[in-house]
Amino acid sequence: VSIIVTIVNLNDNSPVFKETSLTRIVPEDTKVNSTIVARDDVSASDADLDIIYYKLDSAVQNTTNYFAIKGVNNPEIYLQKALNYDKFNFTTLILYAMDNTEGVNVTIHTATATINVIIEQADTRPPWFLPCTFIDTDRTICISSLYTGRINMSEMPTEPLTLEPGPIYAIDPDYVLNEKIVYSIVGGNEDNVFSLDADTGNLTMNQVATSSDSYRLQVMATQVNDKQKYSIASVEIKVINKSDHAPYFESRIYAGTVSVGLDPRSFVFQAGDSSSPLMIAALDDDFPDV
């Protein structure tokens, strides 16, 4: 009598990852669709030779949509959405390997691998002049205000000019890198009246202003490591005649008369002279001919 014995492979083993914990450092400017973890590094094996199904999740809130796997049977992890260091710089991915799909009365063995992803800030943004105002919800673009100041005609100040809303100053918004920034005047400096300190941004004068025309300077902040990363700001310097005297009224007391029932905007007349409108005048000895 021949007895044929068929041994059925029982699904009694869980998938196994070669490594259950991995770390990857990913530059912020990594291109979308780039591979973050190669397939071979996160493929699981199964002693039962079952087909393995994969699923990827994130342990850190609001980072799930940035990474994905190539397919249910392909665990290669790739970048699905552009990174932003200011939004997050670390996340933990959980990769599940299952030897069956979900169903009724189905035994499923599961293994997990943890992938720690460290985001490395990249040099992606040009300098920002401060103060500035963000114009996008991601806070990646910041527009500076106009710098303004004033100087007296024919006077030569020895200190840096005082500007509003503050001194000329720029930062590297990629603050972890914090690249060195230098300053220069690139427009509006007719006759070389002004000088801008390359390191501090202090604006000083090389010579006196001889015209009452305002100056509109264009100043540039440039990263030393990459001249392609620069920003331009405007500086308006008004030239005024120096005032040595305060204005004053011709008289300390003015007296006038009005009649009851007058319409709004009616004249007020000088007291004692109903035919002469009351005139209030001020004088300034800096302008004797005015």
Side-chain angles (χ1 to χ4, degrees):
V1 177
S2 295
I3 300 174
I4 299 175
V5 178
T6 301
I7 300 176
V8 178
N9 189 6
L10 180 67
N11 182 15
D12 56 354
N13 293 286
S14 296
V16 177
F17 285 104
K18 289 187 296 184
E19 294 183 69
T20 57
S21 181
L22 300 89
T23 298
R24 293 291 185 270
I25 298 176
V26 182
E28 178 188 12
D29 57 353
T30 299
K31 302 295 184 183
V32 171
N33 295 323
S34 297
T35 297
I36 303 302
V37 185
R39 179 175 185 171
D40 290 345
D41 293 339
V42 284
S43 290
S45 59
D46 189 335
D48 299 320
L49 303 179
D50 293 320
I51 296 175
I52 300 177
Y53 301 87
Y54 297 93
K55 183 176 71 171
L56 185 67
D57 202 356
S58 174
V60 179
Q61 188 176 10
N62 299 325
T63 64
T64 303
N65 296 331
Y66 286 86
F67 303 93
I69 56 176
K70 289 288 188 178
V72 68
N73 300 122
N74 182 354
E76 177 183 325
I77 300 174
Y78 70 98
L79 183 64
Q80 183 174 245
K81 182 179 177 181
L83 297 170
N84 184 335
Y85 184 88
D86 291 336
K87 288 189 174 181
F88 73 96
N89 52 46
F90 177 84
T91 189
T92 298
L93 305 177
I94 308 297
L95 181 64
Y96 298 91
M98 299 163 288
D99 60 7
N100 213 327
T101 56
E102 297 180 359
V104 180
N105 297 323
V106 173
T107 300
I108 300 176
H109 298 99
T110 303
T112 60
T114 300
I115 301 96
N116 295 312
V117 180
I118 300 171
I119 310 301
E120 186 178 65
Q121 189 171 50
D123 191 5
T124 59
R125 292 176 290 189
W128 290 346
F129 280 100
L130 298 182
C132 63
T133 303
F134 291 104
I135 62 171
D136 63 332
T137 55
D138 288 338
R139 299 173 70 86
T140 57
I141 302 174
C142 204
I143 303 301
S144 63
S145 304
L146 172 70
Y147 292 103
T148 60
R150 58 170 58 186
I151 56 175
N152 291 325
M153 187 184 298
S154 302
E155 283 195 355
M156 182 74 174
T158 57
E159 297 295 326
L161 302 183
T162 300
L163 303 176
E164 295 293 340
I168 296 172
Y169 179 64
I171 62 167
D172 180 1
D174 300 313
Y175 51 88
V176 173
L177 303 177
N178 195 27
E179 297 292 350
K180 179 177 173 59
I181 292 171
V182 293
Y183 305 91
S184 59
I185 300 175
V186 294
N189 194 18
E190 287 80 7
D191 301 323
N192 196 33
V193 173
F194 300 95
S195 179
L196 188 65
D197 189 284
D199 295 317
T200 66
N202 284 337
L203 185 65
T204 55
M205 296 188 66
N206 296 320
Q207 54 184 297
V208 298
T210 58
S211 170
S212 60
D213 294 336
S214 296
Y215 291 88
R216 186 83 173 204
L217 306 177
Q218 299 293 315
V219 298
M220 181 168 68
T222 310
Q223 288 185 194
V224 172
N225 70 321
D226 185 357
K227 66 180 182 180
Q228 298 291 333
K229 290 189 172 62
Y230 67 90
S231 292
I232 301 293
S234 296
V235 182
E236 184 178 51
I237 305 296
K238 293 183 179 179
V239 182
I240 61 175
N241 288 312
K242 183 178 179 181
S243 179
D244 295 318
H245 304 89
Y248 59 91
F249 289 106
E250 285 184 312
S251 174
R252 297 188 61 183
I253 299 176
Y254 291 87
T257 59
V258 295
S259 300
V260 176
L262 287 178
D263 294 331
R265 304 181 67 85
S266 296
F267 282 119
V268 176
F269 291 93
Q270 295 182 24
D273 186 353
S274 60
S275 63
S276 300
L278 180 63
M279 304 291 290
I280 298 176
L283 302 175
D284 189 332
D285 291 339
D286 290 313
F287 304 96
D289 300 326
V290 176

